Amino acid sequence: MIAYKYLHEKELMHCYAKTLKNINAKEILKKDGIQCQKDARALAGFFWKLVDQTVIDGKNNLVIAGCKNLESCCEDIMQILRSHFLATGYVEIWEAVSDKA
């Protein structure tokens, strides 16, 4: 289970999964976490696409899922996801995908 600190973090993840039309991310978030290596690679990759999109949205002063400071929200989500990857034993995948981002 992904341990979000605040509801807007979860909402932001779901919003971007929909916006980016990322079916894998939608399914993983629906299950509330990664369950295999394929999920781990997909969720890590999705996160970095989310970051790219928040940069664009931030420059356009968009508010997504109640978040005005998208950069700060991304930093929080990054910590939440890294903790989830650690807890599920897939931190090596998180690190590998992050290094390539």
Side-chain angles (χ1 to χ4, degrees):
M1 186 167 129
I2 300 172
Y4 299 101
K5 290 182 183 178
Y6 303 103
L7 181 59
H8 71 269
E9 297 161 342
K10 182 176 184 175
E11 291 173 351
L12 186 106
M13 294 275 289
H14 283 271
C15 181
Y16 277 110
K18 183 178 178 181
T19 298
L20 297 170
K21 298 178 178 148
N22 191 316
I23 295 167
N24 290 331
K26 284 182 188 180
E27 289 301 314
I28 294 163
L29 295 172
K30 191 179 194 182
K31 295 184 291 187
D32 202 21
I34 53 179
Q35 298 176 349
C36 63
Q37 288 182 356
K38 181 181 174 186
D39 285 356
R41 281 188 203 91
L43 188 59
F46 163 70
F47 172 74
W48 292 106
K49 289 176 184 171
L50 177 153
V51 169
D52 292 342
Q53 187 61 50
T54 61
V55 169
I56 294 165
D57 293 346
K59 287 179 182 177
N60 290 315
N61 296 315
L62 297 180
V63 177
I64 309 294
C67 295
K68 294 178 184 177
N69 186 341
L70 295 172
E71 182 179 343
S72 177
C73 288
C74 281
E75 289 172 11
D76 293 341
I77 290 170
M78 181 170 63
Q79 293 305 318
I80 290 164
L81 289 180
R82 188 170 190 288
S83 293
H84 182 64
F85 277 76
L86 276 166
T88 55
Y90 295 108
V91 72
E92 293 86 11
I93 293 172
W94 172 262
E95 297 296 337
V97 172
S98 296
D99 286 347
K100 293 178 184 177

